[in-house]
């Protein structure tokens, strides 16, 4: 009898357990749907915050969060099949830009990510500074110290206890269970996370969450990190709210530790961070160097620093500056760079001064971080840059592609050319080219082209990077700006890969690129379009529509009128030229080549060097039409044509006479029906115009233009490499294009013109007279 009762009770218990299991499975499925929706919202928010990336590569594995701890970079979820790398926008193309990434982060997708086909010899660790001092152990979570003291069988036993205790579990029981579960091997954590009893444990913890002490909350958060809990898990929202509630009861180390754990979970917690910053602002003067560095690290990873904290952080940083160790200095620079936080020029100068003292003990990663912050601050710290001329060639063979890219990009952004650095990086690139993303290749092409690095100086550099762009063409569907950046860099170097230019100017690509309005890619497309027109006039490369060209030209001219045209040095040059030449009609301030985004002062001289008006209606029509592209021109004189030309009436002269009034009749499109259907007087000027082609002219001297066009440029130091007379890429490209368009460039360089601004009018006029009329002697 008792045996029957016992068997009945066992069967009843099993049935209840089965029903309960089905109930939790249903709950878990519903929870996963909620999690996915919340996750997508969080990722959209985080994308707006994370606009910059470190140079290290993304490592992928079954554990996305542990990979984040090793590389410091967020791991996206399911990506299209094209790239295996996270990409960000390029801030150093002609237009500033940020890229919105379209990523998803469900747990299943994260675990299915493929590993990159790269094996860098050096893997930078953005958390390496935390091992510089023992003090960091109280405020950071070192994932490398994770121990596996339990196995999966023990974990299943613990989960079985959960089903027995149920609502009878207290705060200490739940904390203990989660701590023990987090000690299992990493490869088994997915089994635990999928177990419905684990979901039950989390639900019970939320039910009594207000009974946890701050230390218990921290222990549970550590367990979540070790268990690799997805950042989108719904339970984390409840814990974030509880941390905010108990923030006032936590000390600074606990607050910093919680912030570090949230970073380990790769979860954006703005409400908690606000509590942290409020606490810090009240106790900032009592912070030690490790606490300050960890705070700046958290600020950087959160991509933003409250304005109310900036001055206090700067003051405290200057106070502790000489106590910071090499890796801590690198971490400070990286944190400030990621947060886009500007310190005063004096503070940046001192920060880099201190870094220079310990540069030989600083890691490659630390050096790259200093270069990033110099680039952001736009500070020309000469001693540091000169030291890089020694350090980079020594370190380049051990550095990976993204580190090399940031070094070169930093030099380019600061307009500082050091051939020792450029050559060292160029020689190392073939060894790490497989590590490069399209982003890296594009930025290096831009940097080298901007600094005027010639293809002959390292024959393999440009071809290898161009070949990489071809290999990564599929990535441009998501990151069109990288293709445009790379092509502009190649154009600066005088290289024009027609297949890639055809892709960039294709209708499909242009439509896709123009959707990214915040990136202003239409301006880059406009520059490439104008470059094709002048450099490759015979090619079959597609061209932008007239509507797009006119729209961008208007945007650029509106900006130029409000900014560039109002500069003192430009206004003074315009005024003096008008006085020199005899009036306003002889000087025109405008964008001769709109695709190059800057203005010039246009002057016309006849064959006797007498000024010719450039403000007449016919001249303005010519300039508005922008007929400066290299196209075939000139018409062969035949007997039939002469017969038709001489059969004329005076009343039909007006349309063509208007055309002849243009001061520079250099290029004429072959005219067919409209010209041959009527007769006009055969004048000397018309014969000269019709035979304006060396191919058909027996006397080349007679085909010279009757008007010489001059483009007067007022340059400044930002047009040149630092402390040199070598033009940067975009401005060298403009010189070349003006020459191709038939202009003689007259430069008023800043080292000559700016000092004259304080001199007499007579001296200015004498200088300009020499430049305009006696340019061979100037």
């Amino acid at each position: 009898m008792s045996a029957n009762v016992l068997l009945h009770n066992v069967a009843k218990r099993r049935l209840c357990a089965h029903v309960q299991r089905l109930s939790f499975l249903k709950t878990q499925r519903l929870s996963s749907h909620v999690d996915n929706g919340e996750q997508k919202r969080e990722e959209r928010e985080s994308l707006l915050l994370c606009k910059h990336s470190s140079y290290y590569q993304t490592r992928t594995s079954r554990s996305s969060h542990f990979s984040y701890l090793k590389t410091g970079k967020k791991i996206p979820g399911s990506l299209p099949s094209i790239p295996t790398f996270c990409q960000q926008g390029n801030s150093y193309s002609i237009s500033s830009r940020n890229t919105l990434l379209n990523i998803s982060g469900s747990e299943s997708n994260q675990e299915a990510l493929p590993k990159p086909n790269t094996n860098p010899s050096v893997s930078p660790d953005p958390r390496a500074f935390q091992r510089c001092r023992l003090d960091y152990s109280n405020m950071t979570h070192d994932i490398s110290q994770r121990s596996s003291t339990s196995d999966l069988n023990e974990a299943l036993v613990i989960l079985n206890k959960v089903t027995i205790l149920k609502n009878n579990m207290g705060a200490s029981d739940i904390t203990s269970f989660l701590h023990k579960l987090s000690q299992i091997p990493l490869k088994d954590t997915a089994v635990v996370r999928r177990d419905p009893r684990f979901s039950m444990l989390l639900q019970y913890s939320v039910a009594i969450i207000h009974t946890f002490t701050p230390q218990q909350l921290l222990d549970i958060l550590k367990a979540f990190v070790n268990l690799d809990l997805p950042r989108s898990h719904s339970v984390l929202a409840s814990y974030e709210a509880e941390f905010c509630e108990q923030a006032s009861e936590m000390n600074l180390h606990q607050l910093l530790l919680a912030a570090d754990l949230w970073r380990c979970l790769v979860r954006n917690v703005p409400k908690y961070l606000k509590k942290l910053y409020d606490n810090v602002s009240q106790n900032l003067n009592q912070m030690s160097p490790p606490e300050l560095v960890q705070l700046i690290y958290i600020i950087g990873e959160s991509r933003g620093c409250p304005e109310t904290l900036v001055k206090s952080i700067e003051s405290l940083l200057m106070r502790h500056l000489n106590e910071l160790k090499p890796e801590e200095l690198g971490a400070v620079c990286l944190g400030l760079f990621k947060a886009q936080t500007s310190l005063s020029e004096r503070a940046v100068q001192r920060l880099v001064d201190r870094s220079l003292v310990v540069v030989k003990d600083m890691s490659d990663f630390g050096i790259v971080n200093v270069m990033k912050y110099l680039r952001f601050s736009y500070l020309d710290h000469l001693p540091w840059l000169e030291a890089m001329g020694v350090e980079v060639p020594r370190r380049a063979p051990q550095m990976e592609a993204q580190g090399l890219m940031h070094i070169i990009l930093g030099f380019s952004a600061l307009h500082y050319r050091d051939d020792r650095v450029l050559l060292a990086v160029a020689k190392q690139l073939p060894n790490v080219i497989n590590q490069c993303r399209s982003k890296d290749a594009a930025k290096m092409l831009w940097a080298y082209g901007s600094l005027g690095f010639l293809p002959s100086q390292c024959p393999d550099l440009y071809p290898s990077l161009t070949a990489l762009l071809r290999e990564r063409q599929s990535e441009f569907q998501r990151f069109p700006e990288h293709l445009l950046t790379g092509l502009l860099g190649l154009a600066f170097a005088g290289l024009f890969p027609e297949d890639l230019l055809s892709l960039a100017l294709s209708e499909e690509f242009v439509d896709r690129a123009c959707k990214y309005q915040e990136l202003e890619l239409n301006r880059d497309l406009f520059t490439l379009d104008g470059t094709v027109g002048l450099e490759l006039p015979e090619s079959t490369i597609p061209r932008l529509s007239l509507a797009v060209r006119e729209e961008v030209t208007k945007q650029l001219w509106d900006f130029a009128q409000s900014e560039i045209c109002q500069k003192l040095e430009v206004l003074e040059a315009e005024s003096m030229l008008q006085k020199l030449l005899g009036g306003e009609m002889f000087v025109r301030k405008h964008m001769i080549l709109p695709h190059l985004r800057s203005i010039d002062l246009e002057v016309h001289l006849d064959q006797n060097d007498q000024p010719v008006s450039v403000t007449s209606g016919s001249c303005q029509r010519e300039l508005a039409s922008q007929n400066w592209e290299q196209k075939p021109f000139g018409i062969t004189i035949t007997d039939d044509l002469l017969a038709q030309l001489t059969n004329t009436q005076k009343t039909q002269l007006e349309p063509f006479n208007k055309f002849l009034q243009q001061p520079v009749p250099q290029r004429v499109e072959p005219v067919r029906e409209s010209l041959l259907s009527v007769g006009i007087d055969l004048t000397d000027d018309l014969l000269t115009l019709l035979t304006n082609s060396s191919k058909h002219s027996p006397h080349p001297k007679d085909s010279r233009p009757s008007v010489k066009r001059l483009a007067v440029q007022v340059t400044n130091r930002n047009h040149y490499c630092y402390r040199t007379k070598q033009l940067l890429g975009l401005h060298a490209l403009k010189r070349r294009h003006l020459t191709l368009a038939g202009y003689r460039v007259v430069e008023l360089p800043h080292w000559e013109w700016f000092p004259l601004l304080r001199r007499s009018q007579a001296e200015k006029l004498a200088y300009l007279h020499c430049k305009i009329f006696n340019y061979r002697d100037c």
Side-chain angles (χ1 to χ4, degrees):
M1 180 70 176
S2 59
N4 291 335
V5 171
L6 181 61
L7 289 173
H8 176 74
N9 289 338
V10 170
K12 183 178 180 180
R13 188 178 303 168
R14 288 179 177 174
L15 179 61
C16 290
H18 179 69
V19 171
Q20 192 176 50
R21 180 183 180 87
L22 291 175
S23 175
F24 278 113
L25 284 172
K26 181 178 180 181
T27 303
Q28 189 181 37
R29 285 195 297 272
L30 292 174
S31 176
S32 68
H33 291 308
V34 175
D35 292 350
N36 289 337
E38 180 183 350
Q39 178 177 359
K40 291 178 182 177
R41 289 194 300 272
E42 289 171 358
E43 287 169 349
R44 285 195 294 268
E45 294 172 359
S46 66
L47 290 176
L48 297 176
L49 295 173
C50 303
K51 297 181 180 179
H52 300 276
S53 65
S54 301
Y55 76 83
Y56 32 77
Q57 297 185 72
T58 301
R59 289 183 177 181
T60 54
S61 67
R62 292 186 63 189
S63 175
S64 60
H65 302 326
F66 288 100
S67 298
Y68 164 79
L69 294 175
K70 294 178 182 178
T71 64
K73 180 177 285 188
K74 290 188 179 183
I75 306 295
S78 60
L79 298 174
S81 59
I82 30 184
T84 58
F85 302 101
C86 292
Q87 308 239 10
Q88 298 283 349
N90 171 18
S91 299
Y92 290 91
S93 182
I94 292 179
S95 59
S96 298
R97 51 180 70 137
N98 289 318
T99 304
L100 298 181
L101 310 184
N102 178 20
I103 61 175
S104 130
S106 63
E107 182 182 353
S108 60
N109 287 336
Q110 288 176 358
E111 293 181 353
L113 270 175
K115 294 184 179 181
N117 295 323
T118 59
N119 185 24
S121 57
V122 180
S123 298
D125 182 3
R127 297 167 67 91
F129 73 93
Q130 296 175 351
R131 295 189 288 274
C132 290
R133 307 173 191 254
L134 293 176
D135 307 77
Y136 286 106
S137 61
N138 296 325
M139 62 185 99
T140 64
H141 180 67
D142 188 355
I143 198 63
S144 65
Q145 300 301 316
R146 185 184 188 280
S147 59
S148 299
T149 57
S150 302
D151 58 25
L152 183 58
N153 290 331
E154 294 180 45
L156 296 177
V157 171
I158 293 171
L159 293 175
N160 192 48
K161 290 182 180 179
V162 171
T163 61
I164 296 173
L165 293 175
K166 298 181 183 178
N167 291 327
N168 295 325
M169 288 185 294
S172 58
D173 296 322
I174 292 176
T175 304
S176 176
F177 288 163
L178 287 172
H179 173 72
K180 291 178 181 178
L181 289 173
S182 68
Q183 301 302 305
I184 64 173
L186 185 61
K187 61 183 178 64
D188 295 328
T189 56
V191 178
V192 171
R193 292 195 308 271
R194 289 194 294 265
D195 195 299
R197 293 169 296 183
F198 179 70
S199 297
M200 182 192 304
L201 177 60
L202 297 181
Q203 291 175 16
Y204 286 143
S205 73
V206 171
I208 61 169
I209 197 169
H210 299 299
T211 65
F212 290 117
T213 65
Q215 187 56 51
Q216 288 174 329
L217 287 174
L218 289 170
D219 291 339
I220 290 174
L221 207 55
K222 286 181 185 178
F224 290 162
V225 172
N226 290 338
L227 286 167
D228 199 12
L229 202 67
R231 64 177 178 269
S232 61
H233 202 292
S234 57
V235 74
L236 294 179
S238 301
Y239 276 90
E240 179 189 354
E242 187 60 26
F243 269 98
C244 292
E245 289 291 326
Q246 298 197 27
S248 58
E249 302 175 20
M250 301 168 69
N251 59 40
L252 180 59
H253 281 190
Q254 289 177 320
L255 290 168
L256 290 172
L257 174 58
D260 196 55
L261 290 167
W262 286 118
R263 291 310 309 154
C264 292
L265 287 167
V266 202
R267 184 178 173 90
N268 186 28
V269 285
K271 293 180 180 178
Y272 174 76
L273 291 177
K274 185 178 184 304
K275 296 287 185 179
L276 168 65
Y277 298 150
D278 290 343
N279 181 282
V280 165
S281 61
Q282 299 172 9
N283 304 286
L284 196 62
N285 291 329
Q286 302 174 3
M287 294 183 71
S288 64
E291 294 167 342
L292 174 63
V293 175
Q294 179 64 16
L295 174 65
I296 294 176
Y297 167 76
I298 294 297
I299 288 173
E301 294 303 305
S302 303
R303 303 306 195 271
C305 178
E307 293 184 6
T308 54
L309 272 182
V310 175
K311 291 296 181 184
S312 300
I313 287 178
E314 178 179 321
S315 176
L316 191 59
L317 180 60
M318 294 301 101
R319 185 192 309 172
H320 294 307
L321 190 59
N322 291 332
E323 303 174 50
L324 298 184
K325 298 187 177 182
E327 290 312 299
E328 291 176 321
L329 291 166
V332 167
C333 289
L334 181 60
L336 295 173
F337 170 78
K338 286 184 174 182
Q340 297 291 275
T341 301
S342 299
L343 303 182
S344 67
E345 183 175 333
R346 176 174 171 78
V348 179
Q349 184 80 31
R350 288 189 58 193
L351 177 59
V352 183
D353 285 342
R354 173 60 183 163
S355 300
L356 181 61
V357 172
V358 297
V359 66
K360 293 190 180 299
D361 299 321
M362 191 175 284
S363 68
D364 300 343
F365 183 65
I367 284 178
V368 170
N369 292 337
V370 176
M371 285 298 302
K372 284 183 178 181
Y373 196 56
L374 275 178
R375 185 180 88 204
F376 167 74
S377 302
Y378 206 70
L379 178 68
D380 50 348
H381 193 290
L382 283 182
W384 174 269
L385 295 174
E386 290 168 359
M388 292 300 98
V390 176
E391 290 296 320
V392 173
R394 180 173 67 86
R395 297 166 180 261
Q398 289 77 42
M399 295 182 69
E400 63 175 4
Q402 294 177 42
L404 296 172
M405 178 270 288
H406 280 294
I407 292 288
I408 296 300
L409 188 60
F411 274 74
S412 174
L414 298 174
H415 302 172
Y416 189 85
R417 174 166 176 162
D418 188 326
D419 281 4
R420 295 172 298 175
V421 174
L422 297 179
L423 286 169
V425 174
K427 291 177 181 178
Q428 172 62 9
L429 273 178
N431 300 326
V432 295
I433 196 69
N434 291 333
Q435 299 175 19
C436 288
R437 306 162 295 179
S438 62
K439 169 185 175 179
D440 302 321
K443 287 189 175 183
M444 281 190 276
L445 286 170
W446 165 269
Y448 274 102
S450 293
L451 293 174
F453 192 80
L454 299 176
S456 60
Q457 292 182 265
C458 187
D460 294 334
L461 174 66
Y462 288 107
S464 62
L465 292 174
T466 305
L468 185 68
L469 290 182
R470 292 189 176 99
E471 292 176 7
R472 310 273 186 187
Q473 281 191 34
S474 56
E475 295 181 20
F476 302 142
Q477 296 177 13
R478 298 178 62 211
F479 307 103
E481 70 276 17
H482 297 162
L483 175 60
L484 303 184
T485 299
L487 288 175
L488 287 170
L490 287 167
F492 297 161
L495 302 172
F496 309 98
E498 295 195 25
D499 58 330
L500 294 178
L501 285 168
S502 297
L503 171 63
L505 292 173
S506 65
E507 183 177 358
E508 180 185 357
F509 188 93
V510 170
D511 290 343
R512 184 185 307 116
C514 288
K515 292 178 181 178
Y516 294 84
Q517 296 182 1
E518 71 281 0
L519 305 182
E520 299 179 340
L521 297 184
N522 53 355
R523 299 184 182 186
D524 289 354
L525 289 166
F526 188 40
T527 300
L528 288 174
D529 179 78
T531 299
V532 168
L534 282 167
E535 302 275 7
L536 305 170
E538 305 293 339
S539 73
T540 58
I541 296 173
R543 303 297 302 278
L544 292 180
S545 66
L546 179 61
V548 173
R549 292 202 300 267
E550 289 179 344
E551 177 187 357
V552 180
T553 299
K554 183 180 183 304
Q555 293 173 358
L556 294 171
W557 178 235
D558 290 344
F559 172 77
Q561 284 183 304
S562 62
E563 296 288 338
I564 306 173
C565 292
Q566 305 305 318
K567 290 185 176 181
L568 174 62
E569 61 271 20
V570 175
L571 293 173
E572 188 68 9
E574 181 183 24
S575 175
M576 290 297 103
L577 281 172
Q578 290 171 355
K579 291 180 179 179
L580 176 69
L581 299 175
E584 295 181 2
M585 74 287 297
F586 298 112
V587 182
R588 186 172 186 225
K589 180 171 59 178
H590 69 123
M591 294 189 300
I592 297 176
L593 302 178
H595 70 281
L596 292 173
R597 317 178 188 199
S598 56
I599 65 164
D600 303 281
L601 302 172
E602 183 167 4
V603 172
H604 289 181
L605 302 176
D606 63 17
Q607 291 183 342
N608 297 318
D609 281 347
Q610 295 300 310
V612 177
S613 173
V614 293
T615 58
S616 65
S618 60
C619 180
Q620 289 185 21
R621 284 195 297 274
E622 178 198 12
L623 294 169
S625 67
Q626 292 301 321
N627 186 26
W628 37 255
E629 294 184 4
Q630 297 290 309
K631 298 178 180 178
F633 53 84
I635 299 176
T636 303
I637 300 297
T638 65
D639 293 338
D640 291 340
L641 178 59
L642 284 172
Q644 294 184 60
L645 287 172
T646 54
N647 181 21
T648 180
Q649 295 180 3
K650 292 291 184 180
T651 56
Q652 296 173 323
L653 280 175
E654 183 179 358
F656 206 84
N657 281 344
K658 286 186 176 181
F659 184 77
L660 289 177
Q661 291 173 7
Q662 298 186 20
V664 194
Q666 278 194 300
R667 299 173 178 79
V668 178
E669 294 293 336
V671 182
R672 297 181 178 86
E673 295 181 2
S674 60
L675 178 61
L676 300 178
S677 61
V678 298
I680 63 174
D681 290 335
L682 188 60
T683 64
D684 292 338
D685 288 339
L686 180 56
L687 278 174
T688 300
L689 181 64
L690 290 171
T691 58
N692 190 18
S693 173
S694 58
K695 180 177 179 181
H696 303 288
S697 175
H699 304 291
K701 292 182 180 179
D702 297 336
S703 65
R704 291 180 302 172
S706 61
V707 176
K708 292 178 286 187
R709 296 187 292 179
L710 279 62
V712 181
Q713 292 187 313
V714 182
T715 59
N716 60 60
R717 66 176 187 171
N718 288 329
H719 294 175
Y720 297 87
C721 293
Y722 188 79
R723 292 187 176 180
T724 72
K725 295 183 180 180
Q726 178 184 330
L727 284 168
L728 292 167
L730 178 64
H731 307 289
L733 183 70
K734 179 178 179 179
R735 293 285 175 90
R736 191 165 75 239
H737 284 188
L738 284 170
T739 302
L740 288 172
Y743 285 84
R744 171 165 71 86
V745 177
V746 177
E747 180 185 5
L748 308 184
H750 66 90
W751 59 85
E752 294 176 355
W753 182 242
F754 281 42
L756 280 173
L757 296 177
R758 299 187 294 271
R759 308 298 287 271
S760 68
Q761 176 176 307
E763 289 176 287
K764 297 173 188 174
L765 291 174
Y767 172 80
L768 290 175
H769 186 279
C770 178
K771 286 287 186 178
I772 298 296
F773 299 107
N774 304 319
Y775 62 94
R776 292 183 180 87
D777 301 327
C778 292

